[in-house]
Amino acid sequence: MSARRALVVGASGITGGNTAEYLLDQGWEVLGVSRRPPGRAQGMTHVPVDVLDAEATADALGGLGVTHVFFCTWSRQPTEAQNITVNSAMLRNVLEAVGPAGTVQHAALVTGLKHYLGPFEAYAQEPAKPPFRESQPRLPVANFYYDQEDVLWDAASRHGFSWSVHRPHTVIGYAVGNAMNMAVTLGVYGTLCRETGEPFVFPGSHEQYTSTTDITDARLLARHLAWAATSPSAANEAFNITNGDTFRWEEMWTVVAAGLGVEPAPYPGHPTPLEGRMDHAASLWRDIAAREGLVEPDVDRLVSWWHTDSDLGRQVETWADMTKSREAGFTDAQDSSRSFLDVFDRLRAEDVLPTVPDTARSTT
């Protein structure tokens, strides 16, 4: 196992951080790429480089003898055209830095269900019909996921390694300072509601509240990535990866509320987005952090109001079929309720969220 030298790009994020932790637990050597120290995954070697800089990336990654690449990052841009330019360049720079040496056996790319829903500019305007299946064609709209796939396929063909593409739904897992982290965002939201007495109301659409959906546990995604990177049956394939169960938010909201020690409010029948409604969060969170001894007093380093609003505000049903992974040999699954509750427990253990008072626990 020590011969497997993984390069995890985006090691400080929710996907990359959990992937690095899992690979280390399995005995891999892990090199973690990020611009800032990850602050987690003990035993990982940090490689600080901005992968948008082709020359710096070649200097930092060339000659490392990498055997497996896990590309788990992206950079949000104002337009989809810019998303395509920037995110394709980042992936290309990494693969061209490590590919020519001939040591790479496999490269895995993490994208998501916007493959089926469309990019932010055309989000859910003409989506594929659920359940989403890997056999469905690309949507007739520009999408940086598609361009990244093309970059991956081209590099794999030229440099002689296998590839896999992984399409999770909303990723739920432990991470701090991540721009797409629903679990931490809801954790902060619930804490603020408990502090102020504001109603803990589901902020999204009626369709999301009452229709079928799913999520992806970051720990399950990490196992899926490792499986695909080492299984011949998964080589040169794209896979959906979700927990394997489905739910409706009208039930899950009660689970989330209980995990945060707050009463779930009745759904008002329309969206009440967090962005704007949580404008008071910054000063209040600083006070809570100082009183409770929390490690991060800057609420903007924790929450992604916009992304959680986007996920929960969809007006279409959204869930993915997992048959292809099952038939190829990946049979792991995850209880989605525990995905949220386990993250809340870890956030409290790491002093990111305050402990739930016993009085609050007894009311939920």
Side-chain angles (χ1 to χ4, degrees):
M1 186 70 72
S2 60
R4 292 176 176 170
R5 176 174 287 187
L7 184 74
V8 178
V9 185
S12 61
I14 184 171
T15 298
N18 281 276
T19 298
E21 287 182 345
Y22 177 73
L23 294 175
L24 287 165
D25 287 344
Q26 297 302 303
W28 291 55
E29 182 180 357
V30 178
L31 309 175
V33 175
S34 61
R35 284 178 293 180
R36 57 183 174 82
R40 57 187 294 190
Q42 194 170 30
M44 178 176 64
T45 300
H46 181 224
V47 183
V49 63
D50 179 357
V51 295
L52 189 55
D53 185 327
E55 184 176 353
T57 302
D59 289 343
L61 305 185
L64 293 180
V66 172
T67 61
H68 296 77
V69 177
F70 300 90
F71 196 86
C72 305
T73 191
W74 77 294
S75 177
R76 187 189 185 199
Q77 302 299 312
T79 68
E80 192 60 19
Q82 290 169 289
N83 274 328
I84 290 170
T85 298
V86 169
N87 289 284
S88 296
M90 294 195 312
L91 177 60
R92 184 182 299 109
N93 291 343
V94 169
L95 296 179
E96 293 310 311
V98 300
T103 61
V104 178
Q105 300 170 23
H106 186 91
L109 168 66
V110 178
T111 60
L113 292 197
K114 285 191 291 296
H115 184 95
Y116 309 106
L117 288 163
F120 287 118
E121 287 181 4
Y123 193 59
Q125 291 180 13
E126 294 185 28
K129 292 183 181 294
F132 301 139
R133 294 186 174 91
E134 297 89 341
S135 58
Q136 290 168 318
R138 291 177 174 180
L139 301 176
V141 62
N143 189 326
F144 82 84
Y145 286 172
Y146 304 161
D147 290 78
Q148 282 190 313
E149 288 184 344
D150 293 342
V151 168
L152 176 66
W153 299 340
D154 174 67
S157 175
R158 288 186 294 104
H159 299 306
F161 53 79
S162 62
W163 57 267
S164 58
V165 176
H166 304 254
R167 298 170 185 162
H169 196 171
T170 302
V171 179
I172 303 299
Y174 177 81
V176 176
N178 183 264
M180 298 174 64
N181 196 328
M182 181 189 288
V184 179
T185 299
L186 293 181
V188 170
Y189 173 41
T191 301
L192 293 171
C193 288
R194 197 174 67 236
E195 180 80 7
T196 63
E198 295 176 68
F200 185 62
V201 61
F202 179 75
S205 68
H206 181 267
E207 290 84 354
Q208 283 299 296
Y209 193 64
T210 59
S211 298
T212 300
T213 192
D214 54 17
I215 57 173
T216 304
D217 193 297
R219 300 166 298 184
L220 183 74
L221 175 54
R223 298 198 298 274
H224 195 252
L225 285 162
W227 161 77
T230 57
S231 299
S233 61
N236 304 326
E237 297 286 351
F239 294 101
N240 296 331
I241 172 60
T242 61
N243 283 356
D245 61 1
T246 59
F247 61 88
R248 291 178 174 82
W249 273 105
E250 58 186 331
E251 291 93 16
M252 186 62 76
W253 198 245
T254 300
V255 174
V256 169
L260 297 172
V262 64
E263 285 286 343
Y267 183 61
H270 57 82
T272 54
L274 296 170
E275 194 164 36
R277 189 154 61 91
M278 291 289 109
D279 285 347
H280 64 294
S283 59
L284 181 57
W285 190 259
R286 281 194 297 271
D287 294 341
I288 295 172
R291 185 186 71 218
E292 302 290 340
L294 303 182
V295 296
E296 182 51 73
D298 183 356
V299 75
D300 292 330
R301 286 261 303 142
L302 298 176
V303 302
S304 51
W305 305 128
W306 69 270
H307 186 262
T308 297
D309 284 341
S310 175
D311 264 356
L312 299 182
R314 296 191 200 102
Q315 295 180 320
V316 295
E317 191 173 46
T318 306
W319 59 286
D321 182 81
M322 280 291 293
T323 302
K324 185 176 180 180
S325 283
R326 303 290 184 242
E327 291 180 342
F330 185 82
T331 58
D332 288 12
Q334 169 67 43
D335 179 346
S336 291
S337 294
R338 288 266 31 120
S339 293
F340 286 104
L341 298 177
D342 290 350
V343 173
F344 298 155
D345 285 344
R346 183 167 179 184
L347 290 169
R348 285 187 283 263
E350 302 281 350
D351 291 324
V352 178
L353 294 181
T355 301
V356 175
D358 291 338
T359 53
R361 288 181 182 277
S362 65
T363 64
T364 57

